[in-house]
Amino acid sequence: MTRQLKQRLLIYGSGVFIYICAVAATIQYTLSDWVKFILFLTAYLVIGFDAFRQLADNLMKREIFSEYLLIILATVGAFGVQRYTEGVLVMLLFELGMMFEAVSTDSAKRSIEQMIDIRPGYATRKVRGKETRVDPSELKLRHIIIVKPGERIPVDAVVTAGTSTVDTKALTGEYMPQTVEPGDEIYGGCINLSGVIEARVSRIYQNSTVSKVMEMVEEAQNNKAESETFVTKFSRVYTPVMIVCALFIMIYPSLTFSYGNWDTWIYRGLIFLVVACPCGLVLSIPLAFLAGIASAARQGIVVKGGNYLEFLAKADTFIFDKTGTLTEGVFNVKEIKAEGMTEEELLEMAAHVESYSNHPIAQSLLAAYDGRLDKSRVRRVKEAPGFGISATYDGKRVHIGNYRMLEKQNIERSRIRRPGTVIYLVADKKYAGYIVIADSVKEDAGPLMQYLKEKCRAVLVMLTGDNEASGMEVAEALDMDYAYTDLMPEEKLEQIEDFLGLQDKMEKLVCVGDGINDAPILARADVGIAMGALGSAAAIEAADVVLMEDELIRIKDAIRISKETLRVVSQNIAFSVGVKIVILLLAAVGYFGMWEAILAELGVMFAAILNAVWVVRYTV
């Protein structure tokens, strides 16, 4: 519980105590009107301290009409007709509702913090063989840290010694522990489960994944959604209308019909003001969005604000990057065509020659070759940027590279057109064959596209910098509506602008990318979704929603949560307005007293808040 909330509860409790004492004194003793007035006024001012403070803050911001103005006018009016007990009770019950909302909001925020507050409390640094416990913020790049079983990893680091299993659930939502060994990167906030590991710091605490995630959660709690803005605007119109209606009830019947006295109609007008206070409507909507953010956090989806939940629920255009988003981002050997030797011999030759290179193509060839590498068979390795690599392999001069390399070696062959990257091989100035290396479509990409088309009636678009053959193969496999290939980053942004220009205000555009090369389009879209925040600071900075695991199907979960959140918001609005209309009519004709009116309003408010809390507790 925050310090501010504790202070509010203390002040409120003091006011309630004074009120109880005042009621008891009134019952037991015969007090003059002035003594009663002073006792109840003291209780009223203490209990209503926060309401007056909020009204003062609103007036300073030139926001005159609000629910606080309504309740203060109603209770001051009650004092004006010497109904002190009822006036203070109205404020007491109103503030009780406010306390309930504050405690519920604090609980929801703490639930988010418990789900995502994965900041480590300390780090164990190793210096000259000695272990010292330090604050994670004191760690510098290349410092050596020790992480023992059961401890949280303090910062992003690379394992240098030891093997273990790591629980990454807090960051990724993945329940299966991950095995780490020397050379693997580990991320701050994860829990070391089994063995002692030694690691070298790769990012300082302020730039580590855990810090970025926590900053994003704090932003999420402060970002207001359109529905919240609507309620704020609604109150500005609603409040003066209700005040005019209350004045009408107070004045018109007595002047026109001579039915009842002024005291009766003023009292009914004050009841009308109390009932008119839109507490349930105003308080339940932000809590519903906060609950939706917490529910998403439980599933490894970090949403920066309620507005992005709302936009996601309304989205009808989804734009995807290809490499690393729709595809695995890992290139594998798809086809081998040899001449003058077997396919196995061609792959063996290619793997040996490329064994000295760190290029992604080389890594793909090495991964495909399951034989034993004997680097002594390779000599005189030479890389030619823009062409490929050359080496002497088993006494033969071998060249591996693109079609330009083939032309450079004066080999006349037709260009092979296949989706992916084609590398050609020449041995002793003779054409030896080609190998096709291509990316693979993610397994969950197809089901997600089907869901978006069937449930969201979405337009599916793919933007990629890859060649047309590679891009169109993926687009056709996933039944995309539009596909644009061979795009530079600025051209991708132009395409986003074109789609945004075709939309009306109710339509929203979602862009999904890896968060690094796609940062500009993630930032420009109505909702930018970054795939796999691990290791990608740009994803956290640019995106509005971050999937903490590279699983496209999580987008389906995010959409489901967003739609459920908006459903709860709509229910709260309909319920609050419907009940309020009925009660307002009953209050105007005298069927509701002031106590009954405030209790009915609190009932509406509590029901709306409980409905909002349902999102975080049961949307899984």
Side-chain angles (χ1 to χ4, degrees), residues 504-540:
D504 59 34
K505 292 184 178 180
M506 294 302 295
E507 297 172 330
K508 299 300 176 184
L509 182 146
V510 175
C511 182
V512 187
D514 61 14
I516 301 174
N517 298 326
D518 299 313
I521 59 175
L522 289 176
R524 183 63 186 90
D526 294 315
V527 181
I529 301 179
M531 295 293 300
L534 297 185
S536 174
I540 294 177

Side-chain angles (χ1 to χ4, degrees), residues 202-213:
S202 60
R203 289 193 187 97
I204 61 174
Y205 179 74
Q206 290 79 2
N207 296 333
S208 65
T209 301
V210 61
S211 294
K212 295 292 184 181
V213 170

Side-chain angles (χ1 to χ4, degrees), residues 178 182 227 242 290 316 376 442 610:
Q178 305 296 309
S227 289
M242 291 298 104
L290 188 64
D316 63 348
S376 64
K442 290 183 176 179
L610 290 173

Side-chain angles (χ1 to χ4, degrees), residues 106-179:
D106 181 72
S107 176
K109 287 183 177 180
R110 282 188 287 109
S111 72
I112 291 179
E113 291 170 359
Q114 290 169 1
M115 292 166 193
I116 300 186
D117 193 356
I118 48 181
R119 289 173 286 202
Y122 65 89
T124 303
R125 184 186 171 196
K126 183 178 180 180
V127 182
R128 296 174 184 173
K130 295 183 179 180
E131 297 180 8
T132 307
R133 182 172 290 192
V134 298
D135 190 270
S137 62
E138 297 176 14
L139 294 173
K140 306 295 182 184
L141 291 176
R142 304 191 68 79
H143 278 182
I144 300 300
I145 57 174
I146 303 294
V147 187
K148 299 176 182 178
E151 293 183 337
R152 285 196 184 275
I153 299 168
V155 294
D156 297 355
V158 177
V159 177
T160 56
T163 58
S164 182
T165 52
V166 175
D167 180 1
T168 63
K169 181 168 71 269
L171 278 180
T172 68
E174 177 59 52
Y175 284 86
M176 183 66 69
Q178 305 296 309
T179 302

Side-chain angles (χ1 to χ4, degrees), residues 112-367:
I112 291 179
E113 291 170 359
Q114 290 169 1
M115 292 166 193
I116 300 186
D117 193 356
I118 48 181
R119 289 173 286 202
Y122 65 89
T124 303
R125 184 186 171 196
K126 183 178 180 180
V127 182
R128 296 174 184 173
K130 295 183 179 180
E131 297 180 8
T132 307
R133 182 172 290 192
V134 298
D135 190 270
S137 62
E138 297 176 14
L139 294 173
K140 306 295 182 184
L141 291 176
R142 304 191 68 79
H143 278 182
I144 300 300
I145 57 174
I146 303 294
V147 187
K148 299 176 182 178
E151 293 183 337
R152 285 196 184 275
I153 299 168
V155 294
D156 297 355
V158 177
V159 177
T160 56
T163 58
S164 182
T165 52
V166 175
D167 180 1
T168 63
K169 181 168 71 269
L171 278 180
T172 68
E174 177 59 52
Y175 284 86
M176 183 66 69
Q178 305 296 309
T179 302
V180 297
E181 55 189 20
D184 290 341
E185 188 162 7
I186 53 178
Y187 302 97
C190 298
I191 300 175
N192 183 25
L193 296 178
S194 54
V196 178
I197 52 177
E198 183 177 298
R200 182 179 64 255
V201 176
S202 60
R203 289 193 187 97
I204 61 174
Y205 179 74
Q206 290 79 2
N207 296 333
S208 65
T209 301
V210 61
S211 294
K212 295 292 184 181
V213 170
M214 290 311 302
E215 287 174 9
M216 188 160 34
V217 173
E218 290 166 3
E219 288 177 12
Q221 297 172 359
N222 298 322
N223 214 341
K224 297 188 75 177
E226 280 188 350
S227 289
E228 295 176 76
T229 304
F230 162 76
V231 171
T232 302
K233 293 178 180 178
F234 171 78
S235 294
R236 292 180 187 146
V237 176
Y238 176 81
T239 298
V241 170
M242 291 298 104
I243 291 174
V244 170
C245 290
L247 290 173
F248 179 84
I249 292 170
M250 293 176 186
I251 299 171
Y252 188 76
S254 295
L255 291 177
T256 306
F257 305 115
S258 299
Y259 176 75
N261 55 39
W262 282 94
D263 186 68
T264 299
W265 287 107
I266 288 174
Y267 181 63
R268 289 183 182 179
L270 295 175
I271 294 173
F272 187 90
L273 279 178
V274 173
V275 177
C277 183
C279 303
L281 191 64
V282 173
L283 300 180
S284 64
I285 289 176
L287 188 63
F289 280 109
L290 188 64
I293 292 170
S295 181
R298 294 171 67 179
Q299 300 185 49
I301 304 167
V302 180
V303 185
K304 283 189 176 181
N307 51 335
Y308 302 118
L309 279 178
E310 185 168 10
F311 294 163
L312 194 57
K314 297 177 179 178
D316 63 348
T317 302
F318 286 77
I319 297 180
F320 294 85
D321 174 49
K322 184 179 79 70
T323 305
T325 302
L326 295 175
T327 63
E328 297 289 350
V330 178
F331 293 85
N332 300 306
V333 173
K334 297 297 183 182
E335 182 183 352
I336 302 175
K337 183 69 174 179
E339 288 191 15
M341 62 181 73
T342 65
E343 293 179 354
E344 291 76 12
E345 289 172 335
L346 185 70
L347 178 60
E348 181 181 8
M349 181 174 67
H352 276 82
V353 172
E354 293 277 8
S355 63
Y356 286 93
S357 174
N358 292 321
H359 193 279
I361 289 178
Q363 302 305 311
S364 301
L365 293 170
L366 291 170

